[in-house]
Each structure stands twice: as C-alpha cells, then as structure tokens.
Amino acid sequence: MSNSSSLTHFLLLALADRRELQLLHFWLFLAISLAALLANGLILSAVACDQHLHTPMGFFLLNLSLTDLGCICTTVPKAMHNSLQNTTTISYMGCAAQLFFFFFFISAEFSLLTIMCYDRYVAICKPLHYGTLLGSRACAHMAAAAWATGFFNSLLHTASTFSLPLCQGNALGQFFCEIPHILKLSCSHSGYLREIGLIVISACLGFGCFIFIVFSYVQIFRAVLRIPSQQGRHKAFSTCLPHLAVVSLSLSTGTVEHLKPLSISSPSLDLIVSVLYSVVPPALNPLIYSLRNQELKDALKKLITGCFSEAINSPSACYGPH
C-alpha cells in the first residue's frame, strides 16, 4: 500500500500487449499528431498572413488552433514514447503536469467555442452592432478571459487532485493522466468529495455554456430562415456549420467518455473512447473549418501555392548558396 508522499510514478493503460500492435499504435499516433501539427500550423500561418482573415472569427480560430495543438502535444508524445519503449510509466510530476496542461487546453477550448458562438450570433442576428460588440479590444479581452478561465480552472483541479492521499496503488485505467482515474486511487473521503464538488461546479459552468450555445443557435437558425435569398441563407449557414460541427464533436466525445454506463465499460472500449475524446477532435477541427470556410480555403491555397512557387523560383533557399 502506497501514499502520495512515497509515490514516484503512475502506470498508464497500455495501448496494446503485443509488440507489433504497440508499434502500430506508435505509427498511428505519429501520423495523427503530424497531421494535426501540419493542419493547425497552416491555419495559424494563414490567419496571421492573410488580411482577409484578420477578423474576430479569424482571431478566435487562431486561438482555437493553439488549444488543439496544446491538447495533441500534451497527451500523444508520452503515449508514443511508451509504445516505442514498451513501458507504461509516467513520473508523479509528469502526470501532474500532463493533467494540468490537458485540463487547461480543454477548458480554454470550450470557452473559446462559446465565444465563437457569440461571434456568429452577433454577426447574423445583430449585424449592425458587430463592429461595436466585437471590436479588436473586446476580442482580445474575451480571448484573454478564455485562457485565464482555463488556467485557473486547471490549477484549482490539479492542486486539489494531487493534494489527495493516494493509497489504492498507482495503476491508472487511462493512457494519459486524468482526474477521475486518479480519484479512484484516493483513500481520503473528504478530499474525494471536495474534488467531486469542484467537478460539479465546473460541470455546471460548462452546462451553462452549452445552454448559451443552444439558445444562440436557435436564434441564429431563426434569423437565417428569414433571409429571403437562397444564396444568403447558404452563406450564413456555411459560416455557422463548421463551428456547430466542432462543438458537436467535442461535446459528443466528451459526453461518451465521462457518462458511458459502467455495464458496457471494458479496457478496449475505454481506450477507443478516450482516443476519440482526447486525440481525434484536435486533429479534425482544422479539417472541418477548412472544408466549409471559403475565405480560409482561399487563404490556405494562397499560402501553399506561394510556398511552392517560392521554392521553385528560389531553389537556393532550400539548398543554400552554390
């Protein structure tokens, strides 16, 4: 029996038992992480370089890409390392850092998605007030509030979780460090209830954001359906559907991960669901936005063709002076 003062490491859930499958998981995670890094990196570059994307939605999309990169870089590298090295360990401090950063980026992302919903609501339902309500200073303040909310929320939960005495072993039923799995190792009833209380408060705040998003989209769809021209309705829908798809993907995977019935729980199913919840959304978000946002697609095409043209016309930039 161990406690948190003598605990030096945790045992993460192994992605597979057979060596061949471990290497397969390594290459799969490598492909997903590289795709996510490339896609989010392209969006960051496009938004930064293209004047047409210097808008409130472009600014919030840039911040969303940063949270997606943070989520991928927090969980995937350690899973890849463990698969390659045929181990499942993570240090106590490494686990605390992983939990803090993952919760930080997830919290900030959900706050940003709520703000982006507000952006769509104002753009479609109150277009005459758009410049006033979403000026550059207001956007900067809202983005800063999203990051600060994520930081303090994560700091509070991480400090509360890792202050608990742990005496139920050190095996986590997850491939990365997460609060519910660490709570299962706790032997402090009062500390356990304290963290559960904090989780309930965070869940209520998240549910409030969810209600705001639902209410906003009800108003948005009512306003869009009143637009007389089919082209106008299509343009309005095309600006909203990517955001709605990203919100649905994040909420559905997170809900399945944390609210699935215990009767259908199994290690293999838990692993699949946790990957869908923690890895897939950050990798798919850039694809969803780039497929439906015409301005972003044009900016990405311009960025990619410009890079290729520069590489072809200036080979010395790649190979150095002769």
Side-chain angles (χ1 to χ4, degrees), residues 188-229:
S188 171
H189 185 66
S190 59
Y192 180 89
L193 291 178
R194 180 190 63 206
E195 177 55 29
I196 291 297
L198 292 175
I199 291 175
V200 169
I201 293 173
S202 296
C204 290
L205 293 175
F207 186 70
C209 292
F210 172 73
I211 294 298
F212 175 81
I213 291 172
V214 171
F215 173 79
S216 298
Y217 269 107
V218 169
Q219 301 302 314
I220 287 170
F221 287 142
R222 289 176 61 185
V224 170
L225 293 175
R226 288 198 296 265
I227 297 176
S229 68

Side-chain angles (χ1 to χ4, degrees), residues 17 90 134 136-137 160 169 203 207 237 250 307:
D17 295 327
I90 184 171
L134 284 155
S136 57
R137 179 171 294 183
S160 174
F207 186 70
F237 273 126
S250 300
C307 290

Side-chain angles (χ1 to χ4, degrees), residues 118-301:
Y118 174 70
D119 170 89
R120 292 300 85 204
Y121 169 77
V122 175
I124 293 174
C125 299
K126 301 180 181 294
L128 297 179
H129 301 282
Y130 188 78
T132 304
L133 295 175
L134 284 155
S136 57
R137 179 171 294 183
C139 291
H141 287 167
M142 285 188 282
W147 287 103
T149 300
F151 175 81
F152 287 111
N153 193 26
S154 179
L155 184 64
L156 186 64
H157 282 281
T158 304
S160 174
T161 301
F162 280 89
S163 66
L164 297 174
L166 307 177
C167 58
Q168 303 294 328
N170 64 343
L172 302 178
Q174 178 67 288
F175 78 96
F176 65 96
C177 292
E178 201 177 21
I179 292 174
H181 297 275
I182 297 175
L183 288 181
K184 292 178 182 178
L185 307 180
S186 172
C187 53
S188 171
H189 185 66
S190 59
Y192 180 89
L193 291 178
R194 180 190 63 206
E195 177 55 29
I196 291 297
L198 292 175
I199 291 175
V200 169
I201 293 173
S202 296
C204 290
L205 293 175
F207 186 70
C209 292
F210 172 73
I211 294 298
F212 175 81
I213 291 172
V214 171
F215 173 79
S216 298
Y217 269 107
V218 169
Q219 301 302 314
I220 287 170
F221 287 142
R222 289 176 61 185
V224 170
L225 293 175
R226 288 198 296 265
I227 297 176
S229 68
Q230 183 177 355
Q231 184 179 1
R233 289 196 299 270
H234 176 75
K235 184 176 181 181
F237 273 126
S238 67
T239 62
C240 295
L241 289 180
H243 175 264
L244 188 58
V246 169
V247 170
S248 301
L249 179 65
S250 300
L251 288 178
S252 59
T253 54
T255 301
V256 171
E257 163 68 11
H258 292 106
L259 298 181
K260 62 181 181 295
L262 293 175
S263 58
I264 65 170
S265 182
S266 67
S268 57
L269 179 62
D270 292 348
L271 179 61
I272 293 172
V273 172
S274 61
V275 170
L276 290 175
Y277 147 69
S278 61
V279 177
V280 173
L284 286 185
N285 287 351
L287 181 63
I288 294 172
Y289 269 102
S290 60
L291 284 178
R292 297 294 304 180
N293 190 315
Q294 188 60 45
E295 288 185 346
L296 182 58
K297 283 197 289 188
D298 293 341
L300 288 173
K301 287 179 183 177

Side-chain angles (χ1 to χ4, degrees), residues 31-47 61-62 64-66 68-69 72 280-291 296 300 303-304:
I32 292 174
S33 59
L34 288 178
L37 290 172
L38 176 62
N40 284 291
L42 284 173
I43 287 181
L44 290 173
S45 301
V47 172
L61 184 57
L62 183 146
L64 187 69
S65 291
L66 289 175
D68 287 336
L69 285 173
I72 285 286
V280 173
L284 286 185
N285 287 351
L287 181 63
I288 294 172
Y289 269 102
S290 60
L291 284 178
L296 182 58
L300 288 173
L303 180 67
I304 294 172

Side-chain angles (χ1 to χ4, degrees), residues 1 6 18 24 29-31 48 57 75 97 103 109 112 126 128 133 141 149 220 230 254 259 267 277 297 309:
M1 187 172 293
S6 61
R18 293 170 53 190
L24 177 63
F29 272 5
L30 179 63
M57 180 53 78
T75 58
F103 205 90
E109 178 163 322
L112 286 168
K126 301 180 181 294
L128 297 179
L133 295 175
H141 287 167
T149 300
I220 287 170
Q230 183 177 355
L259 298 181
Y277 147 69
K297 283 197 289 188
S309 299

